[in-house]
Amino acid sequence: MARLSVHPPGLTTTESPFIEQAQRDGQLYITQPYDLYSDENHAAWRKLFERMLPRWQRYGNEHFLKGIDSLCLDPDRVPRLEEVNRFLRPLTGFQAKAVSGYIPAFLFFDCLRNRAFPTTITIRRSDKLDYLPEPDIFHDIAGHVPMHTDKHFAETLVRFGECAHTAAELVSGIRDHETQIHCLTSIIKAMARFFWFTIEFGLMRGANGLKVYGSGLLSSYGEIAHAIESPEVQRFPIQLEWAINQSFEIDHYQPLLFVVDSFDHLFSLVDELEKWMKAGKLNNVAPGEPGVNEHDLQSFLEAAII
């Protein structure tokens, strides 16, 4: 009779006892328990990396490709965050910071301001590589973090984080509670939309045509090609007023994408975003997705008090 092998419980997305316990205990920032990764977890990483590599080489922007090389990621095993940070930190001061799941909006932006990227440590199942109910370590480390090796992109993230502090300060001066909540909801919605259409799903003009720099595209086998090649996708030079007033849905390929000229261009747009915020131009953006929950609102209000 064959003996049953003993496997660690794993760190599979939505199926991890470790994460469930951390969330019950209120632990937002955690340590990556590397020994808990199962063989199946490593197999998922290997399959994801193997099939994405040729697509990165074809559709990824040059800064991303350089970043992948700089991080020396192991294509066969889930990365250790301490190893990722050993290569990342000397380049831009950024580091991946393990979290147990959802992080309220202000805390997320504040992490960026402090050159830390909240990083999911679970990974999707190896038999569901295209199904991603929430961010996982492949999306965060293979999609986001290579971009953090670029100094201009890193400075843009820091600048974006500073905008959250500006927002908290501005709403702290609004005495009428209903008006305060309305304005704050609108500002958070505008910031989330800007982040979505740039950091997550942005395209960049390059010497060899359009390339992908958005992490949501860089971690999606199907959508990275669809974003560049499909005639169904509308692609426009980015305009701030379009981006902040355009709702989006997360459960299908994006039909509308925006193009930037460079990361310097992106940085200037973040500057403009803050100027519009100070001028009150973000107080009444168009309704629609994404929703803003109570935790997001509270995180800004608490920062305003401090």
Side-chain angles (χ1 to χ4, degrees):
M1 182 177 178
R3 294 180 61 187
L4 293 176
S5 59
V6 178
H7 296 287
L11 290 167
T12 306
T13 303
T14 73
E15 301 176 15
S16 170
F18 174 86
I19 292 297
E20 292 170 2
Q21 186 62 52
Q23 292 174 344
R24 283 195 295 268
D25 293 342
Q27 294 180 330
L28 183 57
Y29 304 110
I30 58 176
T31 300
Q32 183 188 27
Y34 195 82
D35 291 343
L36 291 186
Y37 287 110
S38 64
D39 291 342
E40 199 266 349
N41 291 154
H42 293 299
W45 175 272
R46 182 170 59 253
K47 291 176 184 177
L48 287 163
F49 201 97
E50 181 180 28
R51 72 175 193 162
M52 283 304 303
L53 189 57
R55 299 224 160 182
W56 287 336
Q57 293 167 342
R58 181 171 181 177
Y59 301 112
N61 74 89
E62 60 180 323
H63 308 285
F64 172 82
L65 296 176
K66 184 179 179 181
I68 282 284
D69 289 340
S70 298
L71 293 175
C72 300
L73 297 176
D74 186 338
D76 294 321
R77 297 183 67 79
V78 175
R80 295 179 184 270
L81 297 192
E82 59 189 32
E83 286 297 304
V84 172
N85 291 336
R86 185 164 67 88
F87 290 105
L88 174 61
R89 194 180 291 112
L91 297 176
T92 61
F94 258 83
Q95 61 178 325
K97 185 173 185 176
V99 295
S100 62
Y102 167 77
I103 178 170
F106 182 85
L107 297 182
F108 177 83
F109 294 133
D110 190 52
C111 279
L112 299 183
R113 178 174 174 261
N114 290 292
R115 298 179 186 270
F117 182 70
T119 302
T120 313
I121 62 168
T122 56
I123 188 165
R124 70 196 82 173
R125 287 172 49 170
S126 62
D127 61 346
K128 293 186 177 180
L129 300 185
D130 293 320
Y131 176 64
L132 192 61
E134 59 187 68
D136 73 343
I137 196 169
F138 187 81
H139 170 77
D140 284 347
I141 294 297
H144 277 282
V145 174
M147 300 302 306
H148 303 170
T149 65
D150 182 88
K151 291 183 178 179
H152 296 287
F153 187 84
E155 291 303 322
T156 299
L157 289 182
V158 173
R159 187 75 185 85
F160 199 64
E162 291 172 350
C163 288
H165 280 260
T166 300
E169 183 179 347
L170 286 172
V171 299
S172 70
I174 301 175
R175 296 304 168 211
D176 179 75
H177 182 69
E178 185 175 336
T179 302
Q180 183 187 51
I181 295 301
H182 171 82
C183 292
L184 180 55
T185 299
S186 182
I187 290 171
I188 295 173
K189 194 181 294 284
M191 292 183 68
R193 287 170 173 172
F194 184 87
F195 193 90
W196 180 267
F197 286 114
T198 57
I199 307 304
E200 290 286 1
F201 284 88
L203 302 179
M204 179 178 290
R205 201 171 279 107
N208 298 315
L210 286 183
K211 296 294 182 180
V212 168
Y213 76 91
S215 303
L217 299 174
L218 288 165
S219 59
S220 172
Y221 179 80
E223 192 160 12
I224 190 172
H226 185 266
I228 297 295
E229 296 184 350
S230 175
E232 299 175 358
V233 178
Q234 300 179 73
R235 306 171 188 88
F236 294 107
I238 191 168
Q239 294 187 45
L240 185 57
E241 59 270 32
W242 288 11
I244 64 173
N245 286 291
Q246 177 64 46
S247 63
F248 62 83
E249 298 175 340
I250 66 174
D251 58 353
H252 55 76
Y253 288 177
Q254 298 303 303
L256 171 65
L257 299 173
F258 293 116
V259 183
V260 299
D261 297 325
S262 65
F263 291 144
D264 286 338
H265 179 205
L266 184 59
F267 187 94
S268 70
L269 287 169
V270 179
D271 269 346
E272 189 175 8
L273 180 74
E274 185 183 52
K275 290 176 182 176
W276 282 27
M277 186 187 298
K278 291 179 177 178
K281 292 184 178 182
L282 305 188
N283 291 353
N284 293 286
V285 298
E289 293 295 327
V292 178
N293 64 44
E294 188 64 32
H295 295 293
D296 291 333
L297 289 168
Q298 195 60 35
S299 67
F300 273 82
L301 293 174
E302 289 175 356
I305 294 172
I306 297 171

